[in-house]
């Protein structure tokens, strides 16, 4: 009671303390990214030109996509797919709003008429035609009686409205896209004007790369002049050692021995009866199904199989064993197995070809077949006589005469069938198993008349297989964990750049992975490992940091080796592509300086080269035989007069000097409307992707996917 009295006396103080605590809790969030002012990062998965894409709505769409695409899509693939869709939707909707593009209900109906929804019987009248009134009535009825169907339709309607707006928008753009007759004429000339040249080329590879020195300052200067070509996203480099969880040789031998032991009888003590029971092994057991249920990874398959349906490693052996014989243990893929022949049927699988002569009214007869049953029988008998001739080509007869289109494409072949297979008409099946290899006969079925040839017969066997997977033992798994942990500790204790040295001492393979992006998930050699990517991009992870990751198939010890910041590449990052370009420019300058003022003959003699010829070159296909694709050189050729010799030209593969030997204009045409029309069509077809890509490139997009996924 004294305690309660003290609490009552201090009620005001307690209320004040609690209030201050709540205020502190609320106000603290104002200055953090996760609080009230952190709405942009805390609640938005992306921001497009200042407009946010809320994470809650985004997650709902990811869930919908998961149901739509099924298990074949990983979670990251789903997120990236929905993200791309939402970015596109937001960018285009901003355009629609700026231009005042919207669709009314009547426009939606008109749009539906030209989509697959018009083929939905739910929206069609008695004549199978889309009916606007039926459509409106159906939607109204769903609203009153079927809320789930109505909600689903509302989502479909949103998608339809979006598609309709996009169609309106892109059609507006396409209306302003075309090509003039002059452009058509120019396009024609690019493909049909031709030039012949003589040329001498001093290839760049005639100068060794080692003789060309390129400084870091030159690389930086080149990057500065070509910033747009050397932009990069935020990326990470890492390396790892993979400790794969796989069975050891001891594990394999243990499984093999376990399977072998199950072949033999065993003795078990029965405590209840105080007796010793003999348990029959796989070789002698009478109840195979029950034995396999208790001891095998696979159940008893009673289906008879031909040789080509058995494991390739033992197919020949099993087919030659008598009933009751046992073979094994043998390895098949990742299991050890023992197989027992429980039954065998000689010639139990028969391959045949047939020629079907159908008639009007027969099952599955094509609508264009008009012959009567009597006419069909007469034709089948004629075909039987043809097929039985000594020089008959049954495959050709089937292709040319069979009314079974599928079999006709395969020269009448319908494959192998067993007597128990009910997929064949009864009369057909009886013929196969009552006649010998090579026999040809005629039978009638509900499908018509069949001229049948027996092509092959095979024995089939019923096989019971005891199988146990080869898996890593607990001891092997524990050893793997110990090895991975020891390596992790040793690598952490060593210097940052000694990761490879520590791995080399234990003969582990180090695998580098460079330039992984923030939303990547697949790492070469490890497949889908989103957790590793998230760790690499975590702000707390520094270059040189090492961490062990538990994977479904083992362990990976990973080290972060480099951080690439978003923006223009550094000289180090870009050197692989910049160095060859600078070297080529320097080589070109050197070659031009050494050969300036020389004639083609002088260049040939001074460089040990020959003059080559190239004919019928066009600007559309600027490939010079013996030199490769050289658009600048070919373009220069078209700028010269016939007989004129060029200056030295810096090409893609070397420095050229050319002489135009012939110029030929394309055949003159009365007009070029055909070419301008083709250009217009091509330009309009490119509108959808080109316009969106341009809008996306110009948009300010803040991507926060990695915060949530």
């Amino acid at each position: 009671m004294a305690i309660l009295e003290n609490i009552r006396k201090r009620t005001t103080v307690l209320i004040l303390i609690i209030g201050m605590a709540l205020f502190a809790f609320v106000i603290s969030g104002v200055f953090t990214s996760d609080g009230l002012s952190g709405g942009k990062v805390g609640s938005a998965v992306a921001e497009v030109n200042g407009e946010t894409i809320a994470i809650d709505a985004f997650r709902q769409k990811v869930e919908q996509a998961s149901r739509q695409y099924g298990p074949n899509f990983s979670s990251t693939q789903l997120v990236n797919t929905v993200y791309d869709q939402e970015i596109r939707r937001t960018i285009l909707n901003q355009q629609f709003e700026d231009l005042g593009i919207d669709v009314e209900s009547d426009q939606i109906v008109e749009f539906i008429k030209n989509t697959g929804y018009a083929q939905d019987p739910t929206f069609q009248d008695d004549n199978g035609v889309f009916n606007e009134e039926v459509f409106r009535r159906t939607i109204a009825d769903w609203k009153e009686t079927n809320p789930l169907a109505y909600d689903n339709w509302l989502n479909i309607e949103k998608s339809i409205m979006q598609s309709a707006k996009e169609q309106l928008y892109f059609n507006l753009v396409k209306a302003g896209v075309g090509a003039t007759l002059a452009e058509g004429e120019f396009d024609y000339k690019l493909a049909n004007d031709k030039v012949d040249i003589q040329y001498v080329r001093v290839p760049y590879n005639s100068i060794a790369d080692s003789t060309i020195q390129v400084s870091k300052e030159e690389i930086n200067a080149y990057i500065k002049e070509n910033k747009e070509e050397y932009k990069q996203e935020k990326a990470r480099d890492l390396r790892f050692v993979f400790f794969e969880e796989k069975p050891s040789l001891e594990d394999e031998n243990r499984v093999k021995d376990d399977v072998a032991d199950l072949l033999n009888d065993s003795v078990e003590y029965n405590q209840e009866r105080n007796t010793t029971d003999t348990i029959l092994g796989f070789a002698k057991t009478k109840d195979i199904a029950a034995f396999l249920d208790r001891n095998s990874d696979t159940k008893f398959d009673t289906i008879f199989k031909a040789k080509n349906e058995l494991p390739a490693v033992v197919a020949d052996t099993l087919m030659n064993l008598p009933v009751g014989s046992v073979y094994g243990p043998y390895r098949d893929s990742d299991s050890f197995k023992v197989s027992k022949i429980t039954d065998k049927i000689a010639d139990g699988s028969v391959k045949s070809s047939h020629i079907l002569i159908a008639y009007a009214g027969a099952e599955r007869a094509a609508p264009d077949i008009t012959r009567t049953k009597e006419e069909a029988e007469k034709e089948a008998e004629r075909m039987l006589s043809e097929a039985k001739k000594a020089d008959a080509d049954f495959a050709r007869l089937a292709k040319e005469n069979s009314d079974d289109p599928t079999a006709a494409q395969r020269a009448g072949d319908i494959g192998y069938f067993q007597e128990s297979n009910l997929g064949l008409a009864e009369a057909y099946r009886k013929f196969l198993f009552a006649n010998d290899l090579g026999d040809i006969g005629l039978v009638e079925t509900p499908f018509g008349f069949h001229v049948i040839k027996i092509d092959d017969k095979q024995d089939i066997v019923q096989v019971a297989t005891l199988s146990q997977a080869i898996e890593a033992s607990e001891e092997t798994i524990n050893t793997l964990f110990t090895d991975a942990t020891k390596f992790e500790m040793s690598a952490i204790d060593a210097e940052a750049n000694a990761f490879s040295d520590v791995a080399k001492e234990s003969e582990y393979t180090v695998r580098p992975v460079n330039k992984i992006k923030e939303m990547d998930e697949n790492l070469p050699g490890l497949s889908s490992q989103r957790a590793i990517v998230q760790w690499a991009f975590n702000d707390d992870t520094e270059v040189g940091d090492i961490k062990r990751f538990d994977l479904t198939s083992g362990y990976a010890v990973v080290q972060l080796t480099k951080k690439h910041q978003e923006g223009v590449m550094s000289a180090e990052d870009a050197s692989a592509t910049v160095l060859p370009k600078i070297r080529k420019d320097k080589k070109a300058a050197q070659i031009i300086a050494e050969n300036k003022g020389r004639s083609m003959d002088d260049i040939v003699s001074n460089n040990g080269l020959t003059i080559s010829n190239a004919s019928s070159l066009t600007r559309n296909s600027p490939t010079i035989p013996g030199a490769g694709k050289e658009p600048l050189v070919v373009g220069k050729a078209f700028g010269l007069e016939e007989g004129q010799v060029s200056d030295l030209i810096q090409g893609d593969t070397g420095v050229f000097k050319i002489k135009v030997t012939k110029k030929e204009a394309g055949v003159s045409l009365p007009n070029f409307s055909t070419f301008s029309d083709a250009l217009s069509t091509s330009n309009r077809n490119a509108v959808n992707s080109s316009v969106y890509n341009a809008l996306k490139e110009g948009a300010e997009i803040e991507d926060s996917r990695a915060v949530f996924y």
Side-chain angles (χ1 to χ4, degrees), residues 225-241:
E225 291 175 6
N226 301 274
K227 287 182 179 179
E228 290 300 315
E229 293 181 32
Y230 295 97
K231 284 185 177 180
Q232 67 178 4
E233 298 177 46
K234 186 162 56 172
R236 299 289 184 265
D237 293 351
L238 52 83
R239 54 186 174 181
F240 67 89
V241 172

Side-chain angles (χ1 to χ4, degrees), residues 33 234 236 518 533-543 545 560 563 565 707:
S33 62
K234 186 162 56 172
R236 299 289 184 265
E518 197 167 16
V533 178
Q534 289 174 320
W535 169 79
F537 280 90
N538 193 307
D539 290 338
D540 295 333
T541 305
E542 300 294 338
V543 172
D545 283 0
L560 179 65
K563 291 184 177 182
Q565 301 305 324
V707 174

Side-chain angles (χ1 to χ4, degrees), residues 568-587:
V568 180
M569 291 183 183
S570 65
E572 182 182 0
D573 290 341
S575 61
T577 54
V578 173
L579 268 174
K581 293 179 180 180
I582 297 177
R583 282 199 191 108
K584 186 172 78 170
D585 289 343
K586 288 194 167 190
K587 288 180 180 181

